Amino acid sequence: MITKRIIPCLDVRDGRVVKGMNFEGIRDVSSPIELADYYSKNGADELVFYDITASFEGRKLFSDILTEVASKIFIPLTVGGGINTVDDFDRVLKCGADKVSVNSGAIKNPNLISEAAKRYGNQCVVISADVKRVDGVFRVFAKGGRENTGMEALSWIKHCVELGAGEVVLNSIDTDGVKKGFDIEMLSKVLSIVNVPVIASGGAGGIKDYIDLFKKLPTVDAGLAASIFHYGEVTIKDLKQELYKNGINVRLS
């Protein structure tokens, strides 16, 4: 049986890890290098590093910080933010990333997904979809959740997988930072239309939310969270022990 992955997320702005609610009200948390080192040593299965303002500011991702983060950890690292070309993939991978996450760059140029998949393999390409309900329809947002693209999210995600994305990170803007549980409805719809790993992101408030996620959606591959881990509200070790007690297969370190 495949183990469920627990993934902390480092949202990085100006070289610091930050966290907000519904993609707004950003607060400073810590050093990405220190946090990455801590999570790597304390049971995280993978780590996600997002340079959250790179696309909005129209610049490249912070390579120096990323290189240092990658040198500190011994778990897979997914990196996103300001990824607009295959050369950006190359640069980030050379900094130590294992997978590259695209959102705004793929919206501007969907062929980026297929080009990167051909060069580096599907397993290296992650589509990160920032999705919010607008008048009852799931819509895709770009530039760190600031810009409504008007695109319907489910058809967009399916198209990205058909182009070669080997993994989907579904970021629910509606539940982000609210700590009232993952967006089960949104996740369920995505799981029904793709055949690649899906990572749930947005809404984790405690251990129960992870148990609910994996019990209600047994085919979801991983749960990503930020603030509950950053602020010490839940440790990954305690979370995994409780998941294991509830019959959910996880890697116990």
Side-chain angles (χ1 to χ4, degrees):
M1 186 186 296
I2 297 173
T3 58
K4 301 301 184 184
R5 292 174 284 154
I6 306 301
I7 307 175
C9 178
L10 307 182
D11 290 327
V12 179
R13 184 178 72 175
D14 299 328
R16 297 283 295 176
V17 175
V18 296
K19 191 69 188 93
M21 182 183 293
N22 305 126
F23 284 36
E24 297 177 347
I26 304 297
R27 292 180 292 162
D28 182 84
V29 177
S30 183
S31 154
I33 297 156
E34 292 173 7
L35 270 184
D37 183 47
Y38 171 79
Y39 290 135
S40 180
K41 291 174 178 173
N42 286 275
D45 296 299
E46 295 188 17
L47 195 64
V48 168
F49 177 112
Y50 287 138
D51 185 338
I52 62 170
T53 56
S55 292
F56 178 68
E57 293 170 1
R59 60 168 171 78
K60 295 185 184 299
L61 183 144
F62 292 121
S63 297
D64 52 347
I65 296 169
L66 171 58
T67 301
E68 196 163 354
V69 166
S71 72
K72 292 280 187 183
I73 68 173
F74 301 95
I75 53 177
L77 174 63
T78 298
V79 177
I83 307 296
N84 294 297
T85 66
V86 175
D87 285 344
D88 289 331
F89 267 79
D90 189 64
R91 183 171 52 84
V92 168
L93 291 168
K94 284 176 178 173
C95 288
D98 298 283
K99 294 182 278 189
V100 182
S101 173
V102 290
N103 181 6
S104 298
I107 291 167
K108 286 185 285 187
N109 175 24
N111 288 332
L112 174 62
I113 296 171
S114 53
E115 290 168 10
K118 283 173 188 171
R119 183 177 296 188
Y120 302 109
N122 298 56
Q123 79 289 341
C124 184
V125 183
V126 180
I127 182 66
S128 176
D130 296 337
V131 182
K132 183 177 182 179
R133 292 167 178 81
V134 180
D135 297 327
V137 178
F138 295 129
R139 297 292 182 193
V140 177
F141 278 67
K143 296 182 179 178
R146 294 172 178 85
E147 181 181 290
N148 183 357
T149 66
M151 293 194 303
E152 192 278 318
L154 298 178
S155 57
W156 166 246
I157 291 168
K158 188 169 188 283
H159 182 53
C160 290
V161 171
E162 289 168 348
L163 286 171
E167 190 167 75
V168 175
V169 177
L170 182 65
N171 308 303
S172 171
I173 297 175
D174 294 321
T175 60
D176 175 71
V178 178
K179 297 185 179 181
K180 292 188 177 178
F182 290 97
D183 199 324
I184 301 297
E185 179 198 15
M186 189 185 292
L187 285 159
S188 177
K189 290 184 183 299
V190 170
L191 286 163
S192 71
I193 59 169
V194 300
N195 59 355
V196 298
V198 174
I199 298 172
S201 172
I207 290 172
K208 182 181 180 298
D209 294 329
Y210 268 93
I211 294 171
D212 288 346
L213 170 69
F214 294 128
K215 289 282 191 183
K216 292 177 180 177
L217 301 173
T219 58
V220 75
D221 285 78
L224 181 150
S227 53
I228 61 166
F229 298 139
H230 297 344
Y231 297 124
E233 296 164 25
V234 174
T235 68
I236 294 172
K237 181 180 179 181
D238 288 346
L239 170 58
K240 286 189 168 184
Q241 286 176 341
E242 286 302 313
L243 289 172
Y244 184 75
K245 287 178 188 175
N246 280 269
I248 296 161
N249 196 28
V250 291
R251 179 181 65 88
L252 296 173
S253 52

